[in-house]
Amino acid sequence: MVDDLAAGRRPLQLLPSGSPSTQAALRACPGAALAHDPGSVPAGADPGLLPGWGPVLEVWEGYAGDPELRFAGSSGGAASALALHLVGSGGAAGVIHTAARADAPLLNETVVSTTREELLARAGSRYAPASPADGLGTAERAGAVGSSPYVFIGKPCDVAGAAKATAVRPALQAGLALTIGVFCAGTPSTAGTLELVRAMGFADPSDVESVRYRGNGWPGEAVATGTRDGEFHEARFSYADSWGAILQRHRQWRCHVCLDHTGEFADVAVGDPWYREIEPGEPGRSLVVVRTERGRQAVAAARASGALVLERVGNDVLPRSQPNLVRTRGAVWGRITTMRLLGLPAPRYAHMPAFRSWLRDLTPREKASSFVGTARRIRARRMRRPAVVVEHAAPRERSDAS
């Protein structure tokens, strides 16, 4: 896996397309195909939400019982608190997730956290390309020898990929104690972070020593620190000025043809309860969606211990918290249909209906845009040409990095 400046994290193909290893990777890739199994829907899943939101057993709202985790997290710190509880209770050996790269803070890397201090330091969203599934070998090796499993935290696509891999890798299945999916509206490419830090006053990205996209409050500010003209410089942008004005414009095309933005294949999914306005200075709160029986047991144990402070809310809070995703699902159907009509490869989805959303939830203008806008993007992005993955050189290499 390498960082491509415009496309994000991408694999370099080292073996021929027909090799067993390459074919196995394609079978596990959530970007090629994704499907729910109607025969394995958990008992008690909400039938009204299942078509558009995946399995939903319970919906909770709350926050980490640890005040520092709650403050550091992007919303209420629930994902970190749940993972830490599993590690602290002996249910997991560690947490496979994403953190800023030690030698290049504008980029990400996959890490394994085993202590509260590590999870606290790495809490918060990373609105930059990440591929935590490249750390699943740690879990598979643990499963192969029967040692303690790991918690896996990732974007919906990361968790979906892990789920597809466990279907054919029994040791990986045994090596995962819990999967936690984080709601995602799309991942900006590295070019987005470079534009952000330049807007913050860093003409040379190599001057940036740290960048934080959210957290330390809800929803938190984007904060970059480093040196400028030889002196310490810190810049802060609001969530609206960072994500809304800059980063979201750099979302990868892969994200524009994704149907799963809420972690439908995870044991537990966590996101922001955007169904109401956030008051200034309000402490962070998380929306916790239980999707499997294993997830239900993990959340119940974390609540009982005080690691999570949660209150049960109606299942309708999920669509109310993410109203834009209803229209996004319909728009994706139009985009994929356009790609196929123009002879381009497109993701294959099964038992994840989207046409009904296109028909019911989109305005006539939005319906037309899902076709015409996609055709324009295909031409502008030159999607008819084979993509060439080019590794992006890290903008900063610190000699003291470990």
Side-chain angles (χ1 to χ4, degrees), residues 297-324:
Q297 294 175 8
V299 169
R303 287 184 60 234
S305 72
L308 284 175
V309 179
L310 300 175
E311 58 181 329
R312 185 74 179 269
V313 295
N315 291 350
D316 66 303
V317 171
L318 173 57
R320 287 168 53 202
S321 293
Q322 304 291 331
N324 292 334

Side-chain angles (χ1 to χ4, degrees), residues 25-355:
L26 287 172
R27 285 194 296 272
C29 177
L34 203 55
H36 282 297
D37 179 3
S40 62
V41 175
D46 189 323
L49 293 181
L50 185 62
W53 302 90
V56 176
L57 301 182
E58 301 170 353
V59 179
W60 300 81
E61 184 178 339
Y63 48 88
D66 183 327
E68 288 187 294
L69 274 181
R70 180 183 186 182
F71 181 70
S74 294
S75 48
S80 298
L82 179 57
L84 180 60
H85 174 262
L86 276 161
V87 174
S89 64
V95 184
I96 301 169
H97 62 134
T98 298
R101 237 176 79 175
D103 63 339
L106 301 188
L107 305 180
N108 290 326
E109 64 180 345
T110 301
V111 296
V112 177
S113 294
T114 59
T115 67
R116 174 185 178 276
E117 289 70 28
E118 289 175 335
L119 275 170
L120 184 61
R122 295 160 172 170
S125 296
R126 297 293 304 170
Y127 290 154
S131 56
D134 59 24
L136 288 174
T138 299
E140 186 173 38
R141 288 188 290 273
V145 298
S147 59
S148 296
Y150 288 78
V151 177
F152 179 73
I153 303 178
K155 305 181 300 297
C157 56
D158 301 321
V159 175
K164 294 187 71 174
T166 58
V168 295
R169 306 289 282 264
L172 177 58
Q173 176 71 53
L176 288 174
L178 192 76
T179 59
I180 303 175
V182 181
F183 289 11
C184 176
T187 299
S189 67
T190 303
T193 296
L194 291 175
E195 181 182 340
L196 175 64
V197 297
R198 288 191 183 104
M200 289 176 150
F202 292 96
D204 185 350
S206 67
D207 289 337
V208 179
E209 296 180 359
S210 71
V211 59
R212 186 181 185 93
Y213 299 86
R214 282 186 62 186
N216 289 343
W218 187 35
E221 298 176 310
V223 181
T225 62
T227 58
R228 191 174 66 177
D229 299 327
E231 296 183 357
F232 175 79
H233 176 64
E234 178 181 276
R236 295 175 175 269
F237 273 24
S238 69
Y239 179 62
D241 288 338
S242 58
W243 170 259
I246 297 176
L247 293 171
Q248 62 91 18
R249 293 190 287 103
H250 291 271
R251 285 174 294 176
Q252 308 156 58
W253 179 248
R254 161 72 177 91
C255 302
H256 288 285
V257 290
C258 178
L259 282 183
D260 179 15
H261 293 272
T262 59
E264 295 184 23
F265 295 84
D267 291 312
V268 178
V270 179
D272 289 280
W274 293 132
Y275 67 94
R276 57 182 176 79
E277 292 291 331
I278 301 175
E279 299 294 333
E282 183 176 349
R285 295 179 71 86
S286 299
L287 198 66
V288 178
V289 181
V290 175
R291 297 194 177 276
T292 67
E293 183 57 38
R294 182 167 71 169
R296 192 206 303 265
Q297 294 175 8
V299 169
R303 287 184 60 234
S305 72
L308 284 175
V309 179
L310 300 175
E311 58 181 329
R312 185 74 179 269
V313 295
N315 291 350
D316 66 303
V317 171
L318 173 57
R320 287 168 53 202
S321 293
Q322 304 291 331
N324 292 334
L325 296 186
V326 175
R327 294 191 300 277
T328 295
R329 205 174 183 97
V332 168
W333 181 87
R335 293 165 191 159
I336 290 176
T337 302
T338 302
M339 294 177 74
R340 292 190 176 130
L341 288 173
L342 294 177
L344 294 176
R348 300 185 305 277
Y349 294 105
H351 307 295
M352 300 178 71
F355 172 70

Side-chain angles (χ1 to χ4, degrees), residues 356-377:
R356 69 180 69 178
S357 179
W358 182 88
L359 192 64
R360 179 187 59 195
D361 301 317
L362 269 61
T363 65
R365 182 172 182 175
E366 289 172 331
K367 290 176 182 175
S369 178
S370 69
F371 287 96
V372 177
T374 299
R376 289 174 177 168
R377 281 174 168 170

